[in-house]
Amino acid sequence: LELADPNAAGEFPHGAWGKTCLDFYRRRLLYVGETVVCTRGNESFSGTLRGVDGDYSLLVETDSGILTLSSGEISVRPVRNP
């Protein structure tokens, strides 16, 4: 997953974990609320990126409901309108 500002790591208080780290991560996560295409192995699907849950699993809302993606290599790309 990409963060909005990869250079912002210096803003994170060293030694702080748990909720503070999760909040930091959520504030900098790109594409939240946007339509994305996810590729996991040979499977591709689109949906709206909703964020991450308390276990840092990616939440993508599709027509089938919200998918929780938590392992493996996952590629997320925004859908760009021409």
Side-chain angles (χ1 to χ4, degrees):
L1 299 175
E2 296 180 61
L3 298 179
D5 182 0
N7 298 317
E11 297 174 25
F12 186 71
H14 295 287
W17 299 103
K19 187 173 180 350
T20 302
C21 184
L22 183 59
D23 289 342
F24 173 86
Y25 191 81
R26 284 177 171 156
R27 284 193 310 269
R28 286 162 178 79
L29 185 63
L30 291 178
Y31 312 130
V32 174
E34 294 185 35
T35 301
V36 295
V37 174
C38 300
T39 303
R40 180 173 54 179
N42 294 331
E43 175 188 21
S44 287
F45 52 91
S46 63
T48 303
L49 181 61
R50 294 299 180 200
V52 293
D53 66 12
D55 293 324
Y56 294 87
S57 296
L58 189 65
L59 302 173
V60 179
E61 184 176 0
T62 68
D63 292 338
S64 304
I66 295 188
L67 297 177
T68 303
L69 308 174
S70 61
S71 65
E73 184 175 336
I74 302 166
S75 177
V76 177
R77 299 286 180 252
V79 174
R80 302 287 185 209
N81 293 324

